[in-house]
């Protein structure tokens, strides 16, 4: 593979600003740097010098920021065709829109078409890694990993497990769900950059037997993930308490089934108790904060500052949660996360926001040693943020005093237009 380099202002984090004594010191911004890429990884980050042009193919990005590829910790690829379904809260929304949509993924050709469009859209938005829910059909997973493997994107995905409280066409059984997931793990986990997540949809659609089987499967395959939904909506939380009367709340259902721990990712967690935050901290379980979805479905306000509280911090990443979420863009997601933080009486500045979208997401996914930073040895997944993407953005940037203000303006005004290019493992995969 050719030695190539990207020239521009490089942004990367060296620590967690939520926890550091000196939060600002965790952010490194290097103007006019050169990111040398070789065999899909970053070989060096050095100050630019014209001599480099002799030995390397240099791509120059003026008026831009080279940022680690964005990380989406919770998203449903089959729901791409139903973004913006009107008027319902979670449980009604699932029955009215989501289940009929997901039934279509029995058809492998449909799954392949949507997987292609979905992954192209992620890259158009600068997202290079995501934790993705497929449908209950193994062929939906096959379609997704096939396309991701072709693009060489680092993706986490899995077959949904559902053996009750959904239409018959979407149900598996504890045994068939286990067997189908196991076969997919053997076929895809660790193939190229693909990683598998055991994926019970949420407690209401899995019997206790299926949750137990999911726990067993996850334990039997170290290195795989566990992803599911947790405490998103008040009616959902009440239903889980009805379905599992002998458990001490929603998270306890998962904990007792062996579904908490490092590499467990829980979506939403809007209505967590202090005991549940403490359980996530103790077990190393991560939360995916999905603000556009929580606002769209009227689910509530995730308490980010509470989750990241020093003393018992919980790993948190950002999720778009499409199709309940309303944008593929992590910049738009950050803009809404800022408003949700405000509604909670706190705030989210660019320092903490960009951490969540990059290294924080990587940490939530237990991948912080290979993605989420621009440094030697890291996989070369890089998004080029355009500071002049629109006339308004260019004008506003001219009035920004420093890099943090520019980044915050991107959180407020930025969307897919601000993604000038997306590099995946050292290869250009999107250019605007
Ligand atoms: N809870 C269970 N399934 C889903 C889903 O598909 N989307 C969201 N937002 N919440 C869920
Ligand atoms: Zn979801």
């Amino acid at each position: 593979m050719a030695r190539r380099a990207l020239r521009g202002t490089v942004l990367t984090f060296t620590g967690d600003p939520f926890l550091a004594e000196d939060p600002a010191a965790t952010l490194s911004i290097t103007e006019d740097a050169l990111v040398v890429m070789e065999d899909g990884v970053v070989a060096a980050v050095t100050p630019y010098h014209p001599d480099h042009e002799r030995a390397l193919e240099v791509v120059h990005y003026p008026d831009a920021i080279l940022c680690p590829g964005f990380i989406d910790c919770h998203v449903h690829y089959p729901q791409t065709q139903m973004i913006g379904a009107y008027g319902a809260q979670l449980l009604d929304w699932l029955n009215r829109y989501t289940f009929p949509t997901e039934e279509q993924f029995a058809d492998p050709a449909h799954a392949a078409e949507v997987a292609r469009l979905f992954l192209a859209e992620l890259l158009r938005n600068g997202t290079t890694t995501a934790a993705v829910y497929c449908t209950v059909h193994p062929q939906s997973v096959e379609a997704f990993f096939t396309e991701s493997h072709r693009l060489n994107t680092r993706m986490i995905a899995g077959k949904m497990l559902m053996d009750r409280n959904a239409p018959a066409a979407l149900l598996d059984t504890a045994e068939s769900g286990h067997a189908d997931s196991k076969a997919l793990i053997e076929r895809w986990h660790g193939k190229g950059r693909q990683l598998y997540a055991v994926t019970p949809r949420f407690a209401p659609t899995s019997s206790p037997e299926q949750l137990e089987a999911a726990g067993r499967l996850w334990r039997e395959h170290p290195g795989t993930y566990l992803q599911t939904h947790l405490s998103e909506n008040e009616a959902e939380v009440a239903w889980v308490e009805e379905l599992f009367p002998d458990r001490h709340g929603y998270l306890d259902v998962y904990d007792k089934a062996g579904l908490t721990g490092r590499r467990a990712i829980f979506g939403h967690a809007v209505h967590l108790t202090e005991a549940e935050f403490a359980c996530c901290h103790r077990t190393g379980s991560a939360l995916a904060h999905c603000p556009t979805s929580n606002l769209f479905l009227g689910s509530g306000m995730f308490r980010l500052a509470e989750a990241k509280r020093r003393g018992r911090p919980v790993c948190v990443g950002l999720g778009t949660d499409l199709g309940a979420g309303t944008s593929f863009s992590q910049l738009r997601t950050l803009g809404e996360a800022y408003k949700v933080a405000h509604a909670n009486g706190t705030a989210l500045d660019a320092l903490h926001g960009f951490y969540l979208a990059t290294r924080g997401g990587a940490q939530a996914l237990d991948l912080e040693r290979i993605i989420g930073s621009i440094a030697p040895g890291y996989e070369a997944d890089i998004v080029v943020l355009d500071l002049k993407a629109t006339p308004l953005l260019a004008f506003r940037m001219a009035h920004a005093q420093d890099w943090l203000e520019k980044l915050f303006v991107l959180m407020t005004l930025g969307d897919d237009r601000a993604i000038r290019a997306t590099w995946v493992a050292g290869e250009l995969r999107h250019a605007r």
Side-chain angles (χ1 to χ4, degrees):
M1 224 180 277
R3 258 164 77 89
R4 262 206 213 109
L6 311 182
R7 177 185 172 193
T9 296
V10 174
L11 173 155
T12 194
F13 285 87
T14 55
D16 183 344
F18 287 92
L19 306 181
E21 282 304 319
D22 179 5
T26 62
L27 173 63
S28 153
I29 293 196
T30 314
E31 293 181 23
D32 207 11
L34 201 68
V35 181
V36 181
M37 307 183 297
E38 196 170 26
D39 297 329
V41 302
V42 173
V45 183
T46 63
Y48 173 76
H49 189 281
D51 284 353
H52 289 124
E53 308 267 358
R54 284 203 294 253
L56 290 163
E57 178 195 338
V58 176
V59 185
H60 187 198
Y61 290 109
D63 302 314
I65 295 173
L66 307 182
C67 175
F70 292 137
I71 296 171
D72 185 341
C73 295
H74 183 114
V75 62
H76 301 254
Y77 99 82
Q79 296 175 15
T80 305
Q81 67 201 69
M82 53 165 284
I83 303 166
Y86 176 76
Q89 285 218 351
L90 177 64
L91 300 176
D92 187 26
W93 176 87
L94 285 171
N95 287 317
R96 228 198 288 175
Y97 301 113
T98 314
F99 292 154
T101 298
E102 293 190 3
E103 286 188 29
Q104 296 175 35
F105 286 73
D107 174 6
H110 180 69
E113 183 195 349
V114 179
R116 274 196 300 274
L117 187 136
F118 171 87
L119 279 157
E121 198 60 27
L122 277 188
L123 295 173
R124 266 180 22 78
N125 281 277
T127 297
T128 50
T129 289
V132 179
Y133 289 66
C134 304
T135 65
V136 74
H137 315 93
Q139 55 270 41
S140 74
V141 185
E142 191 65 27
F144 181 80
F145 277 137
T146 298
E147 179 63 2
S148 177
H149 187 58
R150 188 183 74 77
L151 293 165
N152 199 25
T153 40
R154 185 166 281 294
M155 292 286 157
I156 300 169
K159 179 200 116 66
M160 254 189 199
L161 300 168
M162 283 202 275
D163 68 349
R164 63 172 175 174
N165 293 321
L170 287 179
L171 295 183
D172 55 13
T173 65
E175 295 74 34
S176 76
H178 184 281
D180 287 347
S181 303
K182 188 173 163 63
L184 287 163
I185 290 170
E186 282 158 8
R187 194 164 151 66
W188 285 107
H189 183 68
K191 179 167 176 176
R193 302 182 79 199
Q194 311 314 309
L195 298 165
Y196 195 85
V198 177
T199 308
R201 174 172 222 126
F202 68 156
T205 47
S206 284
S207 63
E209 295 70 37
Q210 182 162 66
L211 294 178
E212 288 290 331
R216 232 181 310 119
L217 182 67
W218 188 37
R219 271 193 304 283
E220 284 163 6
H221 295 89
T224 59
Y225 290 81
L226 182 287
Q227 61 181 354
T228 189
H229 296 82
L230 171 67
S231 296
E232 175 178 3
N233 166 287
E234 282 176 341
E236 171 211 11
V237 175
W239 192 22
V240 170
E241 282 166 6
E242 238 173 72
L243 289 168
F244 297 88
D246 54 341
R247 293 285 175 258
H248 302 291
Y250 200 154
L251 183 57
D252 192 47
V253 173
Y254 295 143
D255 194 42
K256 291 284 181 351
L259 300 176
T260 53
R262 197 74 184 116
R263 295 195 176 206
I265 312 150
F266 297 110
H268 304 291
V270 170
H271 304 284
L272 285 204
T273 63
E274 173 52 33
E276 289 175 319
F277 278 127
C279 174
C280 291
H281 168 76
R282 191 174 62 249
T283 59
S285 307
L287 304 178
H289 173 25
C290 307
T292 76
S293 167
N294 298 157
L295 293 169
F296 185 75
L297 291 183
S299 301
M301 305 291 170
F302 177 73
R303 285 162 294 137
L304 174 62
E306 196 58 29
K308 294 288 298 187
R309 205 177 74 206
R310 286 186 197 194
R312 63 118 188 80
V314 177
C315 297
V316 178
L318 291 172
T320 59
D321 191 35
L322 245 76
T326 50
S327 174
F328 277 86
S329 168
Q330 289 298 342
L331 296 174
R332 294 295 357 100
T333 303
L334 280 172
E336 298 308 287
Y338 172 73
K339 295 174 196 170
V340 168
H342 252 330
N344 284 329
T346 58
L348 178 66
D349 62 15
L351 176 67
H352 294 80
F354 272 80
Y355 172 76
L356 290 179
T358 60
R359 190 183 168 106
Q363 198 221 4
L365 301 181
D366 198 25
L367 293 173
E368 76 271 24
R369 283 169 301 280
I370 59 170
I371 59 166
S373 299
I374 300 178
Y378 279 81
E379 295 178 349
D381 294 341
I382 295 169
V383 54
V384 183
L385 303 173
D386 187 346
L387 299 173
K388 293 186 169 174
T390 68
L392 175 61
L393 203 56
F395 179 70
R396 178 63 182 85
M397 288 299 176
H399 293 272
Q401 305 296 316
D402 55 30
W403 286 108
L404 281 176
E405 187 176 348
K406 289 179 186 178
L407 291 169
F408 190 71
V409 170
L410 281 172
M411 282 171 59
T412 305
L413 293 180
D415 54 28
D416 56 324
R417 294 168 297 177
I419 308 306
R420 191 181 295 172
T422 306
W423 292 79
V424 173
E427 297 292 323
L428 182 64
R429 286 278 183 255
H430 164 70
R432 197 164 168 263

